[in-house]
Amino acid sequence: MTDAKIRLLLVDDQLIIRQGLRSLLEAKPDLEVVGEAENGQQAIVQVETLQPDVVLMDVRMPIMDGVAATRAICQQFSQTKVLVLTTFDDDEYVSQAMRLGARGYLLKDTHSEDLAAAIRAVHKGYTQLGPGLLEKAISPPPPSTPQPPTRLPPELAGLTAREREVLALIVSGASNREIAEALYISERTVKNHITSILSQLHLRDRTQAAMFASAYLPLLQ
């Protein structure tokens, strides 16, 4: 009986990068790419749906970047390990990603054999850092506390005022009945609003909506 393959999720906004990684990694008998995502928001949804063992996460992406996605995934899905794979070796990116729970940080010029070895090590619980990244990973956090978001992303800004109210209550953990009572509307109307919200955000259920919108709660209220 052979060991189960390590299930991988590739997260990168460039299709050609994802295709290249898939080709390289699936040539390894113990690795299997089970899904792809082009931004952090999609990555969170895919992790919940596919439950991969390891996520290969880019840093700079539209809609939600890899740092925010790493934080959400490490908080919500402890069984999934995040290995950052990017072209950016900025001190802030490296240290922040590692503080938020990433198990490794590699650059995209890493040799395919070294990348495969790093994936196996991360899957076992070890930390993996590319050459020259150790000092950046352990650098102290910046003296100022990171500021919360000051603007809603386009997907949330496009919701109506009522939909944002409903979404804020979902993030707060309110049931449909509690939302209806808080906003003085019927539960049927609440359900209609939730259906519209999920459609516009391209999400499957209210749990995914709450995870995506949680960082923006003060701006929704």
Side-chain angles (χ1 to χ4, degrees):
M1 181 178 178
T2 59
D3 293 335
K5 292 186 177 183
I6 300 174
R7 294 161 48 81
L8 306 174
L9 174 67
L10 308 181
V11 185
D12 196 293
D13 61 332
Q14 297 186 49
L15 175 60
I16 191 169
I17 297 294
R18 300 199 307 271
Q19 290 176 331
L21 284 172
R22 177 182 283 272
S23 178
L24 288 172
L25 296 173
E26 290 197 328
K28 312 299 181 185
D30 59 334
L31 305 181
E32 177 186 11
V33 176
V34 296
E36 300 180 15
E38 61 184 24
N39 58 62
Q41 177 186 334
Q42 288 184 5
I44 295 170
V45 175
Q46 292 282 56
V47 169
E48 182 180 20
T49 302
L50 301 173
Q51 299 183 2
D53 298 308
V54 178
V55 177
L56 295 186
M57 180 76 74
D58 193 13
V59 171
R60 291 187 183 176
M61 295 178 291
I63 302 179
M64 178 185 283
D65 66 26
V67 174
T70 293
R71 170 169 36 198
I73 290 170
C74 293
Q75 288 178 346
Q76 299 291 330
F77 309 101
S78 58
Q79 78 283 0
T80 297
K81 309 294 193 305
V82 175
L83 172 59
V84 176
L85 182 66
T86 184
T87 57
F88 304 101
D89 63 351
D90 307 50
D91 293 25
E92 183 178 352
Y93 281 140
V94 180
S95 60
Q96 189 175 14
M98 299 304 290
R99 287 199 305 272
L100 293 176
R103 301 297 304 185
Y105 199 110
L106 299 178
L107 300 182
K108 287 181 179 176
D109 59 2
T110 301
H111 191 279
S112 61
E113 292 297 331
D114 294 332
L115 175 57
I119 290 170
R120 296 180 188 112
V122 164
H123 180 238
K124 293 178 180 178
Y126 298 108
T127 298
Q128 293 292 297
L129 293 168
L133 297 181
L134 177 59
E135 290 185 359
K136 297 181 179 184
I138 61 177
S139 63
S144 59
T145 302
Q147 296 299 309
T150 58
R151 297 174 58 186
L152 290 172
E155 293 82 359
L156 296 180
L159 300 178
T160 67
R162 177 62 86 189
E163 288 170 343
R164 290 197 293 271
E165 288 179 325
V166 171
L167 183 54
L169 288 167
I170 290 174
V171 173
S172 299
S175 66
N176 286 1
R177 175 179 293 183
E178 291 169 335
I179 294 173
E181 292 175 350
L183 300 180
Y184 300 99
I185 56 179
S186 69
E187 287 190 54
R188 179 181 294 275
T189 301
V190 172
K191 291 178 181 178
N192 290 338
H193 283 312
I194 293 175
T195 298
S196 176
I197 291 167
L198 295 178
S199 176
Q200 293 180 71
L201 299 182
H202 306 290
L203 299 174
R204 190 184 65 229
D205 55 39
R206 59 189 294 144
T207 300
Q208 292 180 348
M211 291 169 55
F212 172 55
S214 60
Y216 306 99
L217 179 58
L219 301 178
L220 292 171
Q221 297 172 320

